[in-house]
Amino acid sequence: MPLVELLRVALEALRVNLMRSILTMLGIIIGVAAVIAMVTVGAGAQAEIDRQISSLGSNLFMVMSGARSRSGVRMATGTEMRLTEADARALKAEIPEIVASAPTMRGVAQVVVGNTNWSTTIQGIDNEYLVARGWQIDEGRDLEPQEIRSGSKVALLGSRVATELFGAGNAIGQTVRIKNVPFTVVGTLVEKGQSSMGSDQDDIAMIPLGAARGRVLGRTGTRADTVNVIFVSVAEGWMMDDVERQIAEVLRQRYRVRPGAEDPFGIRNMSEIVETRAEARQVFNMLLAAVASVSLVVGGIGIMNIMLVSVTERTREIGLRMAVGAKGRDILLQFLVEAVTLCLIGGFLGILLALVITFGIARIAEWPVLLQWPVVVLALGFSGAIGIFFGFYPARKAAAKDPIEALRTE
Amino acid sequence: MLVCEDLHKDYLVGNETVCALDDVSVRVERGEFLSVMGPSGSGKSTFMNMVGCLDTPTRGRIVVDGETVSELSRDALAEVRNRKIGFVFQQFHLLGRTSALDNVELPLLYGGVPRAERAVRAEQALERVGLRDRMGHVPAQLSGGQQQRVAIARALVNRPVVLLADEPTGALDSATGVEIMELFQELNEAGITVLVVTHEPEVAGYARRVLRFRDGRVIADERQPARMTA
Ligand SMILES: Nc1ncnc2c1ncn2[C@@H]1O[C@H](COP(=O)(O)OP(=O)(O)OP(=O)(O)O)[C@@H](O)[C@H]1O
Ligand SMILES: [Mg+2]
């Protein structure tokens, strides 16, 4: 029998029991919707993660002093060290793959303008920092090397701080007081958005390292050029492993760490940290995958069930078709086409449902919606495959009927 | 044209073997009009199903139009039914929600006849049974007699070598039954071989040869003068 005729018979059979057909499709609809939503939402989340990684600055290491062994136990005193600006310069000088090596200090302080004040992160930086972290100047200028050297009282404001203190007005040239020290704002920074940890990266004020170390974040009893963290950015991602090894080597040499002893510093690959966090999202994806597969299997069983009912109901029709010349294969195909048609229509409705869900989630999570067309095609193909798989047994049962027995049933 | 030799059909019911056909041998020539009679349970339907290739004998040989069908596979039998046999049932067995025309086209569909030719031949068959003006009607919109005519058109559409009817008037009132039998007679006069199972002597009177069954055996094979057409 030609396929067109088979399809016509199938559609007619489904139309006759419309409500039953729709209910049967439900499992497939939900399953397909879950699969597509899973992949689409996953892709959106991945895009968000990529954005966060690029907002960190590309291929970034954080080198920290304060030794911790792998087990997390603090090392014995005496092996303790403090990183210095000299270390940062040495890293850049000795490792050619390093693009920028930025020593920093970090603390929290009130920034005051008139009677407005705002508590924010104060970052002591040198000229390498904006490069290392991929920060861009919005208005004004970066700190001058000469200002860094002399520890001048100049500041760069993150967009959040600038808006909190100056609203829509121009911050450049204004004076802000940090820990009662007046600083002149020389530049503002382009907005960066949330970090992967969920903190607002734009809630920050940057000042020369020297100025920070003095009165603002002043700590006593430390050497004059100590820093908290050195941010190291590397030219290409594939160099990361090698550069990490080289950084460790240079620092071990500088601090004369004995072979076999633990490093008195830590090197963290920032992109890896974000990616690790991204793995948490996989749990959500797994959940959706579970819903999808359970739903598809249950949907498939539903299809099988309804097809068995349909075969029983139409036993006489099967007998008659056989009596006028239908071969087993004709009957098999007829019911298989019916099951596949049912699944494909279900799959199509599932895709529509997935679109609604995806746009909904993307709206709430403010993720980009990335509809994956190959997945849509795959989902349709998969629902067709379910139709064949679960439709085969009922169809074979129909095809195996004896024409006389079939005609005799009431 | 149609040869049955030593046909046996046994059914196993529980532990007992029921002998539905016991050593039946019949020869039917082309163009004959034959009625099959006998009490209920005597094996008439079983015999017709064998001849109609719907069932296979336990033992014996059946030859339809030169082809030994008693040893064919399921699919091969389906093909013989499609090409050589026209079967008419007591219950009509039309597909509901399907127009008379589509019902009649069904055997052509399985015979692989192209679409355009299907429609033409189905129309011709319906015209032959006098239902040209009812082609688009579904079974529910037709009377019992009309439904049986559609079933006869369906049996004719493949130009079978033999038309088999198992109690075709059984579900009809007597007046309509007469009409149907007259249609069979007309078709027979046009050269088609016809076998009709019936209980009613009235109906059997249309045939020129009567085969009587009892307990799975042929007990009589009589020729009779054909009844005059109305
Ligand atoms: N599928 C079957 N299983 C067991 N026995 C069967 C089966 N089909 C027919 N028989 C038996 O075979 C015998 C002949 O049955 P058949 O249907 O041929 O009779 P019939 O002459 O057509 O009767 P009726 O006039 O009532 O239609 C009966 O005894 C019946 O019980
Ligand atoms: Mg019978």
Side-chain angles (χ1 to χ4, degrees), chain B residues 40-41 43-46 90 166-167 197 199:
Chain B
S40 187
K44 307 182 293 294
S45 294
T46 309
Q90 183 177 356
D166 195 347
E167 300 190 42
V197 172
H199 279 296

Side-chain angles (χ1 to χ4, degrees), chain A residues 1 5 8 12 16 316-317 320-328 330 334 399-404 407, chain B residues 11 49 54-55 74-75 78-79 81-82 89 91 93 95 97 102 106-107 109-110 115 118 154 158:
Chain A
M1 194 142 95
E5 295 296 333
R8 220 179 48 154
E12 174 64 16
V16 167
R316 253 159 47 121
E317 177 192 326
L320 183 271
R321 286 179 184 274
M322 285 176 162
V324 300
K327 295 179 182 157
D330 295 315
Q334 179 187 331
K401 282 193 186 295
D402 177 64
I404 297 179
L407 280 169
Chain B
Y11 288 107
N49 291 341
L54 282 166
D55 206 352
R74 265 171 71 93
D75 280 357
E79 214 169 305
R81 288 198 293 273
N82 187 254
F89 306 91
Q91 312 297 337
H93 287 316
L95 299 184
R97 297 194 188 81
D102 285 349
L106 203 58
L109 215 51
Y110 290 112
R115 194 189 182 89
R118 283 203 304 264
R154 182 181 62 197
N158 254 356

Side-chain angles (χ1 to χ4, degrees), chain B residues 21-63:
Chain B
L21 281 185
D22 187 7
D23 204 14
V24 172
S25 296
V26 178
R27 261 187 101 84
V28 179
E29 299 304 328
R30 192 178 295 276
E32 279 197 84
F33 191 156
L34 199 137
S35 81
V36 179
M37 294 194 72
S40 187
S42 57
K44 307 182 293 294
S45 294
T46 309
F47 171 71
M48 289 295 265
N49 291 341
M50 300 287 158
V51 173
C53 300
L54 282 166
D55 206 352
T56 47
T58 313
R59 256 183 302 136
R61 208 163 80 98
I62 306 172
V63 181

Side-chain angles (χ1 to χ4, degrees), chain B residues 31-228:
Chain B
E32 279 197 84
F33 191 156
L34 199 137
S35 81
V36 179
M37 294 194 72
S40 187
S42 57
K44 307 182 293 294
S45 294
T46 309
F47 171 71
M48 289 295 265
N49 291 341
M50 300 287 158
V51 173
C53 300
L54 282 166
D55 206 352
T56 47
T58 313
R59 256 183 302 136
R61 208 163 80 98
I62 306 172
V63 181
V64 177
D65 196 27
E67 195 168 354
T68 307
V69 297
S70 37
E71 48 212 32
L72 292 179
S73 68
R74 265 171 71 93
D75 280 357
L77 282 176
E79 214 169 305
V80 174
R81 288 198 293 273
N82 187 254
R83 288 199 332 267
K84 298 189 172 171
I85 313 277
F87 221 112
V88 178
F89 306 91
Q90 183 177 356
Q91 312 297 337
F92 322 142
H93 287 316
L94 297 178
L95 299 184
R97 297 194 188 81
T98 306
S99 70
L101 192 70
D102 285 349
N103 263 296
V104 174
E105 273 190 36
L106 203 58
L108 301 176
L109 215 51
Y110 290 112
V113 177
R115 194 189 182 89
E117 195 186 334
R118 283 203 304 264
V120 173
R121 280 171 65 177
E123 273 181 50
Q124 283 171 353
L126 278 167
E127 191 163 8
R128 209 161 168 191
V129 300
L131 283 178
R132 213 198 141 70
D133 52 343
R134 294 283 193 278
M135 290 193 305
H137 291 216
V138 298
Q141 297 166 333
L142 296 169
S143 73
Q146 286 171 332
Q147 289 184 50
Q148 193 59 300
R149 281 166 189 271
V150 173
I152 294 169
R154 182 181 62 197
L156 287 174
V157 76
N158 254 356
R159 299 166 191 148
V161 297
V162 60
L163 194 59
L164 303 171
D166 195 347
E167 300 190 42
T169 60
L172 302 172
D173 62 74
S174 55
T176 318
V178 168
E179 279 176 36
I180 294 295
M181 286 317 294
E182 278 168 1
L183 177 58
F184 277 121
Q185 193 171 46
E186 205 181 301
L187 292 170
N188 175 248
E189 273 157 14
I192 298 173
T193 313
V194 180
L195 269 77
V196 179
V197 172
T198 183
H199 279 296
E200 303 160 52
E202 277 289 277
V203 171
Y206 285 86
R208 277 178 281 175
R209 182 177 166 194
V210 180
L211 216 54
R212 289 183 199 282
F213 277 76
R214 169 161 296 181
D215 298 334
R217 290 174 164 274
V218 179
I219 54 161
D221 185 350
E222 309 154 350
R223 312 234 160 218
Q224 64 182 30
R227 180 179 163 142
M228 294 304 292

